[in-house]
Amino acid sequence: MPTAHVCSIVPISKTVGANRIIPSVAIPHPLGDPDKSPDEEKAIRRRLVEKALKALETEISEQRVFD
Amino acid sequence: MAKTIRAIHCLNQFFGGLGGEEKGGLAPQWFEGPRGPGSLIQQLAADIAVVGTVVVGDNYMAEHPDEGAAEIVALIETEIAKDPALRPDLVMAGPAFAAGRYGMSCGAICQAVLEKLGISTVTAMHPDNPALDIYRQTLTVVRAGADVMGMREAVAGMVRVGIKLVAGEAIVPETDGTIPRGLRRNYFADATGAERAVEMLMRKLRGEEIRTEYPMPVFSRVTPAPPVADMAKATLALVTSGGIVPRGNPDRIESANASKYGEYSLRGLDHLSAESHQSVHGGYDTTYANEDPNRVLPLDVVRDLEREGRIGGLNETYYATVGNATSVKRAEAYGREIAAKLINVGVQAVILTST
């Protein structure tokens, strides 16, 4: 079952062996940004989740970071 | 030279000379003196006398390791009661090489002897022996070859390390050839870390051999799972190591070194809120996650995408733990259990969020 790892510290994700890696915003708010307006923040979150869904639909043969 | 160390040796049915697989179910048996590799122990060590040997079947131990080990401890106690001169200074088991059942058996025996009799123990295994997953932190295990070809070397290592254990000397994996137990020992270095690092760099630039002072753990690799053809037809599950739990933390998941994960319903929830959920993670500032838990577990957006048909459906249970100083071994176990549960209910893909 494919897993998309949305995470703040990509090197750790790579080291522990995640295969589909989506870099997120920041450690205390990986899928958000409190400095933005609520609408902008939700749009950022949506882009990250959409990227994760794309990653889940993408054939890979080794670890890949979906920037 | 007089034999000054009394040892009891534990073997499986094969090395104990009692039979092959057909004798795998053999209950523990006591024999006076050395058998099989025990003779090699005496030959290699002038000061060790193998006063007795316990032989037990691999299957007998694999099927009930705790009961089997307890029986062996009782057997040793009975023999000592009959003849106090048999009281050993050391209990040796194996070598088990890469054999899984034999390794489990040697590990269970050594652990029980250490705990119940307080007698030093030593065994030997190949670094890939699965028993090391359980026993590497508690037992002294000499690094052995994969099979019986490495017998002489492994027994020599057990003898060397066993003598040191009886003398109460510290065992150092690099010099004693044992499997590291993960213990740290303080020592005074001749040069500071900065000087040693520069020296190491210079050696590296000169193409000389270097040895790190801090080996990195080796993580397992997983072959990437095939993709889902179309998420619009698939059920997605959300999992997080960011410590998002229902307010009040009903399962009392620890903020560090979590000993469990939680499974929580999303049914009827359109988004997470400061009133409904919180973060119990002790490794980051949770102000922002507590204000809006969707920043860690993006339920609001996923519900939108579910309504829009971008995903076929969302699994109505999410899984959460705290990935803060949580051991890799535990995390792997949580991952395996969660994956099994998700597969069981027909989930086809996972978004795992980490802080």
Side-chain angles (χ1 to χ4, degrees), chain A residues 2-6 14-15 17 19-20 27 31 34 41-42 45-46 56-57, chain B residues 219 221-222 225 227-228 231 294-295 300 304 308 310 348 350 352-354:
Chain A
T3 300
H5 191 205
V6 182
K14 279 179 155 171
T15 307
N19 285 321
R20 292 173 167 89
I27 293 170
L31 290 121
E41 189 179 8
K42 198 172 170 190
R45 177 149 64 246
R46 186 177 168 114
L56 292 168
E57 293 169 332
Chain B
F219 296 102
R221 284 285 170 270
V222 180
V228 170
M231 282 303 300
N294 299 287
R295 286 170 175 154
D300 56 350
D304 287 348
E308 294 164 24
R310 176 67 181 88
Q348 286 128 300
V350 170
L352 167 64
T353 62
S354 291

PDB file of all heavy atoms in Angstrom, chain A residues 2-6 14-15 17 19-20 27 31 34 41-42 45-46 56-57, chain B residues 219 221-222 225 227-228 231 294-295 300 304 308 310 348 350 352-354:
ATOM      1  N   PRO A   2       0.733   2.128  -0.997  1.00  0.00           N
ATOM      2  CA  PRO A   2       1.609   3.295  -1.051  1.00  0.00           C
ATOM      3  C   PRO A   2       1.280   4.294   0.066  1.00  0.00           C
ATOM      4  O   PRO A   2       0.131   4.454   0.443  1.00  0.00           O
ATOM      5  CB  PRO A   2       1.303   3.902  -2.427  1.00  0.00           C
ATOM      6  CG  PRO A   2      -0.078   3.455  -2.746  1.00  0.00           C
ATOM      7  CD  PRO A   2      -0.241   2.092  -2.101  1.00  0.00           C
ATOM      8  N   THR A   3       2.327   4.940   0.566  1.00  0.00           N
ATOM      9  CA  THR A   3       2.187   5.952   1.611  1.00  0.00           C
ATOM     10  C   THR A   3       2.921   7.202   1.166  1.00  0.00           C
ATOM     11  O   THR A   3       4.065   7.122   0.716  1.00  0.00           O
ATOM     12  CB  THR A   3       2.809   5.436   2.927  1.00  0.00           C
ATOM     13  OG1 THR A   3       2.134   4.258   3.319  1.00  0.00           O
ATOM     14  CG2 THR A   3       2.691   6.475   4.032  1.00  0.00           C
ATOM     15  N   ALA A   4       2.262   8.348   1.278  1.00  0.00           N
ATOM     16  CA  ALA A   4       2.942   9.614   1.012  1.00  0.00           C
ATOM     17  C   ALA A   4       3.313  10.218   2.359  1.00  0.00           C
ATOM     18  O   ALA A   4       2.453  10.399   3.220  1.00  0.00           O
ATOM     19  CB  ALA A   4       2.011  10.555   0.248  1.00  0.00           C
ATOM     20  N   HIS A   5       4.606  10.462   2.538  1.00  0.00           N
ATOM     21  CA  HIS A   5       5.062  11.017   3.815  1.00  0.00           C
ATOM     22  C   HIS A   5       5.195  12.533   3.681  1.00  0.00           C
ATOM     23  O   HIS A   5       6.115  13.016   3.023  1.00  0.00           O
ATOM     24  CB  HIS A   5       6.408  10.387   4.207  1.00  0.00           C
ATOM     25  CG  HIS A   5       6.817  10.704   5.612  1.00  0.00           C
ATOM     26  ND1 HIS A   5       8.126  10.699   6.027  1.00  0.00           N
ATOM     27  CD2 HIS A   5       6.078  11.042   6.695  1.00  0.00           C
ATOM     28  CE1 HIS A   5       8.167  11.027   7.311  1.00  0.00           C
ATOM     29  NE2 HIS A   5       6.961  11.234   7.740  1.00  0.00           N
ATOM     30  N   VAL A   6       4.260  13.252   4.273  1.00  0.00           N
ATOM     31  CA  VAL A   6       4.314  14.715   4.270  1.00  0.00           C
ATOM     32  C   VAL A   6       5.068  15.119   5.528  1.00  0.00           C
ATOM     33  O   VAL A   6       4.590  14.884   6.644  1.00  0.00           O
ATOM     34  CB  VAL A   6       2.896  15.325   4.285  1.00  0.00           C
ATOM     35  CG1 VAL A   6       2.970  16.852   4.242  1.00  0.00           C
ATOM     36  CG2 VAL A   6       2.077  14.797   3.117  1.00  0.00           C
ATOM     37  N   LYS A  14      14.164  10.529   4.433  1.00  0.00           N
ATOM     38  CA  LYS A  14      14.993   9.722   3.517  1.00  0.00           C
ATOM     39  C   LYS A  14      15.765   8.659   4.293  1.00  0.00           C
ATOM     40  O   LYS A  14      15.843   7.508   3.875  1.00  0.00           O
ATOM     41  CB  LYS A  14      15.994  10.620   2.802  1.00  0.00           C
ATOM     42  CG  LYS A  14      15.428  11.365   1.610  1.00  0.00           C
ATOM     43  CD  LYS A  14      16.549  12.217   1.066  1.00  0.00           C
ATOM     44  CE  LYS A  14      16.398  12.541  -0.394  1.00  0.00           C
ATOM     45  NZ  LYS A  14      17.399  13.551  -0.790  1.00  0.00           N
ATOM     46  N   THR A  15      16.335   9.063   5.429  1.00  0.00           N
ATOM     47  CA  THR A  15      17.163   8.136   6.201  1.00  0.00           C
ATOM     48  C   THR A  15      16.351   6.946   6.694  1.00  0.00           C
ATOM     49  O   THR A  15      16.809   5.818   6.635  1.00  0.00           O
ATOM     50  CB  THR A  15      17.782   8.871   7.412  1.00  0.00           C
ATOM     51  OG1 THR A  15      18.428  10.028   6.939  1.00  0.00           O
ATOM     52  CG2 THR A  15      18.777   7.991   8.132  1.00  0.00           C
ATOM     53  N   GLY A  17      13.751   5.750   5.382  1.00  0.00           N
ATOM     54  CA  GLY A  17      13.338   4.874   4.289  1.00  0.00           C
ATOM     55  C   GLY A  17      11.966   5.136   3.702  1.00  0.00           C
ATOM     56  O   GLY A  17      11.402   4.260   3.049  1.00  0.00           O
ATOM     57  N   ASN A  19       9.372   6.329   0.956  1.00  0.00           N
ATOM     58  CA  ASN A  19       9.573   6.273  -0.494  1.00  0.00           C
ATOM     59  C   ASN A  19       8.962   7.456  -1.239  1.00  0.00           C
ATOM     60  O   ASN A  19       9.545   7.974  -2.171  1.00  0.00           O
ATOM     61  CB  ASN A  19       9.024   4.960  -1.044  1.00  0.00           C
ATOM     62  CG  ASN A  19       9.948   3.801  -0.708  1.00  0.00           C
ATOM     63  OD1 ASN A  19      11.178   3.959  -0.757  1.00  0.00           O
ATOM     64  ND2 ASN A  19       9.398   2.670  -0.342  1.00  0.00           N
ATOM     65  N   ARG A  20       7.776   7.884  -0.832  1.00  0.00           N
ATOM     66  CA  ARG A  20       7.127   9.043  -1.471  1.00  0.00           C
ATOM     67  C   ARG A  20       7.126  10.180  -0.449  1.00  0.00           C
ATOM     68  O   ARG A  20       6.360  10.152   0.510  1.00  0.00           O
ATOM     69  CB  ARG A  20       5.707   8.680  -1.909  1.00  0.00           C
ATOM     70  CG  ARG A  20       5.673   7.653  -3.058  1.00  0.00           C
ATOM     71  CD  ARG A  20       4.239   7.198  -3.330  1.00  0.00           C
ATOM     72  NE  ARG A  20       4.134   6.479  -4.588  1.00  0.00           N
ATOM     73  CZ  ARG A  20       4.299   5.164  -4.715  1.00  0.00           C
ATOM     74  NH1 ARG A  20       4.593   4.428  -3.667  1.00  0.00           N
ATOM     75  NH2 ARG A  20       4.176   4.585  -5.906  1.00  0.00           N
ATOM     76  N   ILE A  27       8.217  22.625  10.903  1.00  0.00           N
ATOM     77  CA  ILE A  27       8.028  21.578  11.914  1.00  0.00           C
ATOM     78  C   ILE A  27       6.755  21.792  12.748  1.00  0.00           C
ATOM     79  O   ILE A  27       5.934  20.888  12.848  1.00  0.00           O
ATOM     80  CB  ILE A  27       9.273  21.447  12.820  1.00  0.00           C
ATOM     81  CG1 ILE A  27      10.447  20.916  11.997  1.00  0.00           C
ATOM     82  CG2 ILE A  27       9.003  20.507  14.000  1.00  0.00           C
ATOM     83  CD1 ILE A  27      11.783  20.974  12.715  1.00  0.00           C
ATOM     84  N   LEU A  31       1.427  21.495   7.667  1.00  0.00           N
ATOM     85  CA  LEU A  31       0.425  21.731   6.623  1.00  0.00           C
ATOM     86  C   LEU A  31      -0.331  23.026   6.895  1.00  0.00           C
ATOM     87  O   LEU A  31      -1.556  23.087   6.830  1.00  0.00           O
ATOM     88  CB  LEU A  31      -0.542  20.548   6.546  1.00  0.00           C
ATOM     89  CG  LEU A  31       0.103  19.274   5.995  1.00  0.00           C
ATOM     90  CD1 LEU A  31       0.026  18.142   6.985  1.00  0.00           C
ATOM     91  CD2 LEU A  31      -0.521  18.874   4.677  1.00  0.00           C
ATOM     92  N   PRO A  34       0.671  29.971   9.988  1.00  0.00           N
ATOM     93  CA  PRO A  34      -0.115  30.908  10.801  1.00  0.00           C
ATOM     94  C   PRO A  34       0.092  32.371  10.406  1.00  0.00           C
ATOM     95  O   PRO A  34      -0.721  33.218  10.788  1.00  0.00           O
ATOM     96  CB  PRO A  34       0.382  30.655  12.238  1.00  0.00           C
ATOM     97  CG  PRO A  34       1.605  29.821  12.111  1.00  0.00           C
ATOM     98  CD  PRO A  34       1.601  29.161  10.777  1.00  0.00           C
ATOM     99  N   GLU A  41      -3.870  30.069   3.903  1.00  0.00           N
ATOM    100  CA  GLU A  41      -3.313  28.914   4.616  1.00  0.00           C
ATOM    101  C   GLU A  41      -3.956  27.622   4.134  1.00  0.00           C
ATOM    102  O   GLU A  41      -3.267  26.624   3.886  1.00  0.00           O
ATOM    103  CB  GLU A  41      -3.532  29.096   6.121  1.00  0.00           C
ATOM    104  CG  GLU A  41      -2.773  28.038   6.906  1.00  0.00           C
ATOM    105  CD  GLU A  41      -2.928  28.154   8.411  1.00  0.00           C
ATOM    106  OE1 GLU A  41      -3.747  28.972   8.886  1.00  0.00           O
ATOM    107  OE2 GLU A  41      -2.230  27.403   9.098  1.00  0.00           O
ATOM    108  N   LYS A  42      -5.267  27.639   3.970  1.00  0.00           N
ATOM    109  CA  LYS A  42      -5.958  26.431   3.527  1.00  0.00           C
ATOM    110  C   LYS A  42      -5.536  26.072   2.097  1.00  0.00           C
ATOM    111  O   LYS A  42      -5.413  24.895   1.751  1.00  0.00           O
ATOM    112  CB  LYS A  42      -7.472  26.622   3.621  1.00  0.00           C
ATOM    113  CG  LYS A  42      -8.211  25.292   3.597  1.00  0.00           C
ATOM    114  CD  LYS A  42      -9.690  25.443   3.890  1.00  0.00           C
ATOM    115  CE  LYS A  42     -10.391  24.123   3.611  1.00  0.00           C
ATOM    116  NZ  LYS A  42     -11.845  24.241   3.650  1.00  0.00           N
ATOM    117  N   ARG A  45      -2.320  24.265   2.291  1.00  0.00           N
ATOM    118  CA  ARG A  45      -2.557  22.893   2.769  1.00  0.00           C
ATOM    119  C   ARG A  45      -3.105  22.038   1.636  1.00  0.00           C
ATOM    120  O   ARG A  45      -2.705  20.900   1.443  1.00  0.00           O
ATOM    121  CB  ARG A  45      -3.539  22.950   3.956  1.00  0.00           C
ATOM    122  CG  ARG A  45      -3.935  21.622   4.510  1.00  0.00           C
ATOM    123  CD  ARG A  45      -4.234  21.673   5.990  1.00  0.00           C
ATOM    124  NE  ARG A  45      -5.375  22.499   6.331  1.00  0.00           N
ATOM    125  CZ  ARG A  45      -5.314  23.624   7.041  1.00  0.00           C
ATOM    126  NH1 ARG A  45      -4.149  24.054   7.480  1.00  0.00           N
ATOM    127  NH2 ARG A  45      -6.400  24.318   7.308  1.00  0.00           N
ATOM    128  N   ARG A  46      -4.033  22.622   0.860  1.00  0.00           N
ATOM    129  CA  ARG A  46      -4.636  21.873  -0.238  1.00  0.00           C
ATOM    130  C   ARG A  46      -3.589  21.488  -1.287  1.00  0.00           C
ATOM    131  O   ARG A  46      -3.571  20.362  -1.772  1.00  0.00           O
ATOM    132  CB  ARG A  46      -5.758  22.702  -0.879  1.00  0.00           C
ATOM    133  CG  ARG A  46      -6.509  21.898  -1.932  1.00  0.00           C
ATOM    134  CD  ARG A  46      -7.660  22.688  -2.505  1.00  0.00           C
ATOM    135  NE  ARG A  46      -8.144  22.001  -3.672  1.00  0.00           N
ATOM    136  CZ  ARG A  46      -9.354  21.437  -3.758  1.00  0.00           C
ATOM    137  NH1 ARG A  46     -10.197  21.503  -2.762  1.00  0.00           N
ATOM    138  NH2 ARG A  46      -9.717  20.807  -4.857  1.00  0.00           N
ATOM    139  N   LEU A  56       0.913   9.450  -4.663  1.00  0.00           N
ATOM    140  CA  LEU A  56       0.333   8.121  -4.456  1.00  0.00           C
ATOM    141  C   LEU A  56      -0.053   7.474  -5.783  1.00  0.00           C
ATOM    142  O   LEU A  56      -0.166   6.259  -5.888  1.00  0.00           O
ATOM    143  CB  LEU A  56      -0.894   8.209  -3.543  1.00  0.00           C
ATOM    144  CG  LEU A  56      -0.593   8.596  -2.085  1.00  0.00           C
ATOM    145  CD1 LEU A  56      -1.872   8.938  -1.336  1.00  0.00           C
ATOM    146  CD2 LEU A  56       0.151   7.464  -1.373  1.00  0.00           C
ATOM    147  N   GLU A  57      -0.242   8.325  -6.817  1.00  0.00           N
ATOM    148  CA  GLU A  57      -0.620   7.810  -8.139  1.00  0.00           C
ATOM    149  C   GLU A  57       0.589   7.670  -9.066  1.00  0.00           C
ATOM    150  O   GLU A  57       0.427   7.345 -10.237  1.00  0.00           O
ATOM    151  CB  GLU A  57      -1.655   8.772  -8.783  1.00  0.00           C
ATOM    152  CG  GLU A  57      -2.992   8.795  -8.050  1.00  0.00           C
ATOM    153  CD  GLU A  57      -3.911   9.925  -8.517  1.00  0.00           C
ATOM    154  OE1 GLU A  57      -3.407  10.969  -8.983  1.00  0.00           O
ATOM    155  OE2 GLU A  57      -5.132   9.767  -8.408  1.00  0.00           O
TER     156      GLU A  57
ATOM    157  N   PHE B 219      18.970   1.736   8.708  1.00  0.00           N
ATOM    158  CA  PHE B 219      17.521   1.594   8.628  1.00  0.00           C
ATOM    159  C   PHE B 219      17.175   0.651   7.492  1.00  0.00           C
ATOM    160  O   PHE B 219      17.884   0.560   6.504  1.00  0.00           O
ATOM    161  CB  PHE B 219      16.871   2.951   8.390  1.00  0.00           C
ATOM    162  CG  PHE B 219      17.075   3.903   9.524  1.00  0.00           C
ATOM    163  CD1 PHE B 219      18.015   4.909   9.440  1.00  0.00           C
ATOM    164  CD2 PHE B 219      16.350   3.771  10.697  1.00  0.00           C
ATOM    165  CE1 PHE B 219      18.216   5.785  10.495  1.00  0.00           C
ATOM    166  CE2 PHE B 219      16.544   4.635  11.756  1.00  0.00           C
ATOM    167  CZ  PHE B 219      17.479   5.648  11.650  1.00  0.00           C
ATOM    168  N   ARG B 221      15.181  -0.749   4.297  1.00  0.00           N
ATOM    169  CA  ARG B 221      14.626  -0.161   3.077  1.00  0.00           C
ATOM    170  C   ARG B 221      13.412  -0.973   2.648  1.00  0.00           C
ATOM    171  O   ARG B 221      13.384  -2.186   2.813  1.00  0.00           O
ATOM    172  CB  ARG B 221      15.696  -0.177   1.974  1.00  0.00           C
ATOM    173  CG  ARG B 221      16.743   0.902   2.171  1.00  0.00           C
ATOM    174  CD  ARG B 221      16.167   2.256   1.790  1.00  0.00           C
ATOM    175  NE  ARG B 221      17.027   3.370   2.155  1.00  0.00           N
ATOM    176  CZ  ARG B 221      16.991   4.018   3.315  1.00  0.00           C
ATOM    177  NH1 ARG B 221      16.158   3.630   4.258  1.00  0.00           N
ATOM    178  NH2 ARG B 221      17.770   5.030   3.571  1.00  0.00           N
ATOM    179  N   VAL B 222      12.429  -0.266   2.130  1.00  0.00           N
ATOM    180  CA  VAL B 222      11.211  -0.926   1.686  1.00  0.00           C
ATOM    181  C   VAL B 222      11.086  -0.688   0.187  1.00  0.00           C
ATOM    182  O   VAL B 222      11.257   0.439  -0.282  1.00  0.00           O
ATOM    183  CB  VAL B 222       9.981  -0.323   2.401  1.00  0.00           C
ATOM    184  CG1 VAL B 222       8.700  -1.000   1.950  1.00  0.00           C
ATOM    185  CG2 VAL B 222      10.142  -0.428   3.907  1.00  0.00           C
ATOM    186  N   ALA B 225       5.863   0.686  -2.862  1.00  0.00           N
ATOM    187  CA  ALA B 225       4.619   0.012  -3.230  1.00  0.00           C
ATOM    188  C   ALA B 225       4.146   0.570  -4.564  1.00  0.00           C
ATOM    189  O   ALA B 225       4.369   1.746  -4.860  1.00  0.00           O
ATOM    190  CB  ALA B 225       3.571   0.248  -2.164  1.00  0.00           C
ATOM    191  N   PRO B 227       1.803   2.301  -7.309  1.00  0.00           N
ATOM    192  CA  PRO B 227       0.876   3.413  -7.074  1.00  0.00           C
ATOM    193  C   PRO B 227      -0.578   2.967  -7.181  1.00  0.00           C
ATOM    194  O   PRO B 227      -0.874   1.879  -7.655  1.00  0.00           O
ATOM    195  CB  PRO B 227       1.216   4.379  -8.206  1.00  0.00           C
ATOM    196  CG  PRO B 227       1.769   3.525  -9.291  1.00  0.00           C
ATOM    197  CD  PRO B 227       2.473   2.376  -8.621  1.00  0.00           C
ATOM    198  N   VAL B 228      -1.459   3.843  -6.722  1.00  0.00           N
ATOM    199  CA  VAL B 228      -2.896   3.651  -6.934  1.00  0.00           C
ATOM    200  C   VAL B 228      -3.213   4.301  -8.282  1.00  0.00           C
ATOM    201  O   VAL B 228      -2.798   5.435  -8.538  1.00  0.00           O
ATOM    202  CB  VAL B 228      -3.685   4.339  -5.808  1.00  0.00           C
ATOM    203  CG1 VAL B 228      -5.170   4.360  -6.123  1.00  0.00           C
ATOM    204  CG2 VAL B 228      -3.423   3.643  -4.479  1.00  0.00           C
ATOM    205  N   MET B 231      -6.880   7.839  -7.516  1.00  0.00           N
ATOM    206  CA  MET B 231      -7.311   8.064  -6.135  1.00  0.00           C
ATOM    207  C   MET B 231      -8.809   8.376  -6.053  1.00  0.00           C
ATOM    208  O   MET B 231      -9.413   8.242  -5.004  1.00  0.00           O
ATOM    209  CB  MET B 231      -6.495   9.192  -5.500  1.00  0.00           C
ATOM    210  CG  MET B 231      -5.094   8.789  -5.048  1.00  0.00           C
ATOM    211  SD  MET B 231      -5.029   7.398  -3.872  1.00  0.00           S
ATOM    212  CE  MET B 231      -5.972   8.053  -2.499  1.00  0.00           C
ATOM    213  N   ASN B 294      -5.710  21.030  11.987  1.00  0.00           N
ATOM    214  CA  ASN B 294      -5.628  20.696  10.550  1.00  0.00           C
ATOM    215  C   ASN B 294      -4.229  20.987   9.998  1.00  0.00           C
ATOM    216  O   ASN B 294      -3.866  20.488   8.939  1.00  0.00           O
ATOM    217  CB  ASN B 294      -6.649  21.498   9.750  1.00  0.00           C
ATOM    218  CG  ASN B 294      -8.076  21.203  10.170  1.00  0.00           C
ATOM    219  OD1 ASN B 294      -8.608  20.149   9.874  1.00  0.00           O
ATOM    220  ND2 ASN B 294      -8.668  22.135  10.913  1.00  0.00           N
ATOM    221  N   ARG B 295      -3.462  21.833  10.715  1.00  0.00           N
ATOM    222  CA  ARG B 295      -2.098  22.137  10.286  1.00  0.00           C
ATOM    223  C   ARG B 295      -1.185  20.914  10.372  1.00  0.00           C
ATOM    224  O   ARG B 295      -0.110  20.904   9.789  1.00  0.00           O
ATOM    225  CB  ARG B 295      -1.518  23.262  11.156  1.00  0.00           C
ATOM    226  CG  ARG B 295      -2.108  24.623  10.835  1.00  0.00           C
ATOM    227  CD  ARG B 295      -1.707  25.649  11.870  1.00  0.00           C
ATOM    228  NE  ARG B 295      -2.188  26.975  11.487  1.00  0.00           N
ATOM    229  CZ  ARG B 295      -2.434  27.953  12.351  1.00  0.00           C
ATOM    230  NH1 ARG B 295      -2.243  27.772  13.650  1.00  0.00           N
ATOM    231  NH2 ARG B 295      -2.861  29.123  11.918  1.00  0.00           N
ATOM    232  N   ASP B 300      -9.669  19.060   7.056  1.00  0.00           N
ATOM    233  CA  ASP B 300     -10.554  19.985   6.332  1.00  0.00           C
ATOM    234  C   ASP B 300     -10.386  19.853   4.818  1.00  0.00           C
ATOM    235  O   ASP B 300     -11.357  19.711   4.074  1.00  0.00           O
ATOM    236  CB  ASP B 300     -10.337  21.433   6.812  1.00  0.00           C
ATOM    237  CG  ASP B 300      -8.898  21.917   6.693  1.00  0.00           C
ATOM    238  OD1 ASP B 300      -8.004  21.078   6.418  1.00  0.00           O
ATOM    239  OD2 ASP B 300      -8.667  23.138   6.862  1.00  0.00           O
ATOM    240  N   ASP B 304     -12.851  18.266   1.763  1.00  0.00           N
ATOM    241  CA  ASP B 304     -13.176  18.993   0.525  1.00  0.00           C
ATOM    242  C   ASP B 304     -12.918  18.106  -0.690  1.00  0.00           C
ATOM    243  O   ASP B 304     -13.756  17.987  -1.594  1.00  0.00           O
ATOM    244  CB  ASP B 304     -12.317  20.267   0.400  1.00  0.00           C
ATOM    245  CG  ASP B 304     -12.757  21.359   1.379  1.00  0.00           C
ATOM    246  OD1 ASP B 304     -13.842  21.212   1.977  1.00  0.00           O
ATOM    247  OD2 ASP B 304     -12.003  22.342   1.544  1.00  0.00           O
ATOM    248  N   GLU B 308     -15.394  16.640  -3.552  1.00  0.00           N
ATOM    249  CA  GLU B 308     -15.190  16.967  -4.969  1.00  0.00           C
ATOM    250  C   GLU B 308     -14.914  15.718  -5.806  1.00  0.00           C
ATOM    251  O   GLU B 308     -14.762  15.802  -7.027  1.00  0.00           O
ATOM    252  CB  GLU B 308     -14.007  17.947  -5.111  1.00  0.00           C
ATOM    253  CG  GLU B 308     -14.291  19.307  -4.483  1.00  0.00           C
ATOM    254  CD  GLU B 308     -13.008  20.120  -4.277  1.00  0.00           C
ATOM    255  OE1 GLU B 308     -12.021  19.862  -5.003  1.00  0.00           O
ATOM    256  OE2 GLU B 308     -13.006  20.991  -3.394  1.00  0.00           O
ATOM    257  N   ARG B 310     -12.142  13.905  -5.704  1.00  0.00           N
ATOM    258  CA  ARG B 310     -10.722  13.684  -6.024  1.00  0.00           C
ATOM    259  C   ARG B 310     -10.214  12.403  -5.360  1.00  0.00           C
ATOM    260  O   ARG B 310      -9.301  11.756  -5.846  1.00  0.00           O
ATOM    261  CB  ARG B 310      -9.909  14.906  -5.552  1.00  0.00           C
ATOM    262  CG  ARG B 310      -8.394  14.785  -5.732  1.00  0.00           C
ATOM    263  CD  ARG B 310      -8.009  14.759  -7.197  1.00  0.00           C
ATOM    264  NE  ARG B 310      -6.568  14.620  -7.380  1.00  0.00           N
ATOM    265  CZ  ARG B 310      -5.943  13.458  -7.452  1.00  0.00           C
ATOM    266  NH1 ARG B 310      -6.616  12.332  -7.344  1.00  0.00           N
ATOM    267  NH2 ARG B 310      -4.634  13.420  -7.658  1.00  0.00           N
ATOM    268  N   GLN B 348      -6.558   1.811   0.461  1.00  0.00           N
ATOM    269  CA  GLN B 348      -5.582   1.571  -0.619  1.00  0.00           C
ATOM    270  C   GLN B 348      -4.378   2.501  -0.589  1.00  0.00           C
ATOM    271  O   GLN B 348      -3.408   2.287  -1.301  1.00  0.00           O
ATOM    272  CB  GLN B 348      -6.261   1.704  -1.978  1.00  0.00           C
ATOM    273  CG  GLN B 348      -7.153   0.501  -2.288  1.00  0.00           C
ATOM    274  CD  GLN B 348      -8.543   0.947  -2.691  1.00  0.00           C
ATOM    275  OE1 GLN B 348      -9.237   1.607  -1.938  1.00  0.00           O
ATOM    276  NE2 GLN B 348      -8.939   0.583  -3.885  1.00  0.00           N
ATOM    277  N   VAL B 350      -2.175   5.816   1.899  1.00  0.00           N
ATOM    278  CA  VAL B 350      -2.051   6.524   3.178  1.00  0.00           C
ATOM    279  C   VAL B 350      -1.314   7.835   2.979  1.00  0.00           C
ATOM    280  O   VAL B 350      -0.339   7.904   2.229  1.00  0.00           O
ATOM    281  CB  VAL B 350      -1.268   5.650   4.185  1.00  0.00           C
ATOM    282  CG1 VAL B 350      -0.912   6.441   5.442  1.00  0.00           C
ATOM    283  CG2 VAL B 350      -2.064   4.403   4.561  1.00  0.00           C
ATOM    284  N   LEU B 352       0.764  10.101   5.455  1.00  0.00           N
ATOM    285  CA  LEU B 352       1.347  10.108   6.792  1.00  0.00           C
ATOM    286  C   LEU B 352       1.986  11.492   7.000  1.00  0.00           C
ATOM    287  O   LEU B 352       2.850  11.890   6.223  1.00  0.00           O
ATOM    288  CB  LEU B 352       2.409   9.015   6.891  1.00  0.00           C
ATOM    289  CG  LEU B 352       3.360   9.046   8.095  1.00  0.00           C
ATOM    290  CD1 LEU B 352       2.621   8.841   9.401  1.00  0.00           C
ATOM    291  CD2 LEU B 352       4.437   7.971   7.940  1.00  0.00           C
ATOM    292  N   THR B 353       1.533  12.189   8.018  1.00  0.00           N
ATOM    293  CA  THR B 353       2.107  13.511   8.252  1.00  0.00           C
ATOM    294  C   THR B 353       3.003  13.480   9.485  1.00  0.00           C
ATOM    295  O   THR B 353       2.689  12.851  10.480  1.00  0.00           O
ATOM    296  CB  THR B 353       1.013  14.584   8.435  1.00  0.00           C
ATOM    297  OG1 THR B 353       0.229  14.269   9.590  1.00  0.00           O
ATOM    298  CG2 THR B 353       0.107  14.658   7.214  1.00  0.00           C
ATOM    299  N   SER B 354       4.159  14.164   9.358  1.00  0.00           N
ATOM    300  CA  SER B 354       5.123  14.223  10.460  1.00  0.00           C
ATOM    301  C   SER B 354       5.533  15.667  10.689  1.00  0.00           C
ATOM    302  O   SER B 354       5.601  16.448   9.757  1.00  0.00           O
ATOM    303  CB  SER B 354       6.369  13.407  10.118  1.00  0.00           C
ATOM    304  OG  SER B 354       6.077  12.052  10.085  1.00  0.00           O
TER     305      SER B 354
END
